[in-house]
Amino acid sequence: MVGRLSLLLCAASLLTACGSPGNGGVAASTDLELAARVDALNTAVSAWQSASTIAEAHAAAEAARNLVVGPDGPFYGDADGDGDVAGINSIGLLPGLGGEPGLAQNEPVNACVVAHVLGGAWDEPSTRWGDAVAAIDVWAPTNNTFPGLASHPQRIVGWATLTLATADLDTALEYAGHARLHTDITSQAIQACE
């Protein structure tokens, strides 16, 4: 409960804390790509939250994860094994494993994007992704390792990966609720760029 309250307080203060819209924003063409990606991410997480079957939850979680990682990041592809790649794209929201640029990384970015979306510098992207994969691998209901990830989109990847590993719809929906909090923070951070 305290974690959720902290996230909600963070989300509520995000726009105020990071300055006025347009201050240090990304280039106009990138703004459109970034806005479209955040809309697609919101749509995927909403579908995940409203899933009535585990197959629907898996497809939506796959889409959300693919939208964040892109084809150069970890986990990209047909994770639910249905023959389709949901959330298909040519560039991730975050940088790829080999340093391929991500949509949120385009310069200049404001302090909100750096703090909440990127979660700091991506000088060593394989290390950043390695840390996320390690957090996912050791996660347990009594050991939530995701708050240690500074990037909120990486936390979405974590909740999506856990969803794809469960066959229980109630659990998948619970994970979708966590992903929603991080999606909202991501959205607000990116809106502060516009």
Side-chain angles (χ1 to χ4, degrees):
M1 183 65 171
V2 173
R4 286 187 180 185
L5 180 59
S6 296
L7 284 173
L8 291 172
L9 291 173
C10 178
S13 65
L14 200 57
L15 293 175
T16 305
C18 294
S20 62
N23 186 13
V26 296
S29 63
T30 314
D31 281 348
L32 295 176
E33 291 177 281
L34 210 46
R37 180 59 55 88
V38 171
D39 286 347
L41 185 58
N42 275 313
T43 298
V45 173
S46 292
W48 180 2
Q49 289 183 285
S50 64
S52 58
T53 67
I54 194 64
E56 289 175 2
H58 284 170
E62 175 188 306
R65 188 169 78 173
N66 284 341
L67 289 165
V68 173
V69 302
D72 297 313
F75 305 119
Y76 185 83
D78 179 18
D80 64 1
D82 69 353
D84 292 318
V85 177
I88 194 165
N89 63 80
S90 61
I91 182 173
L93 178 63
L94 297 177
L97 285 162
E100 299 84 356
L103 288 174
Q105 195 180 26
N106 291 310
E107 296 292 338
V109 294
N110 73 11
C112 282
V113 171
V114 172
H116 301 289
V117 180
L118 294 171
W122 279 79
D123 297 336
E124 296 182 20
S126 61
T127 300
R128 291 292 304 271
W129 281 119
D131 291 345
V133 171
I136 293 165
D137 287 345
V138 299
W139 185 93
T142 57
N143 181 36
N144 182 3
T145 52
F146 298 161
L149 300 173
S151 166
H152 287 278
Q154 281 189 312
R155 296 183 201 188
I156 296 166
V157 170
W159 293 113
T161 302
L162 294 178
T163 295
L164 286 157
T166 187
D168 182 69
L169 180 59
D170 289 339
T171 300
L173 295 176
E174 177 189 338
Y175 294 162
H178 292 287
R180 168 53 60 200
L181 293 172
H182 299 295
T183 302
D184 289 347
I185 291 171
T186 298
S187 297
Q188 291 178 10
I190 288 173
Q191 287 169 8
C193 292
E194 298 171 348

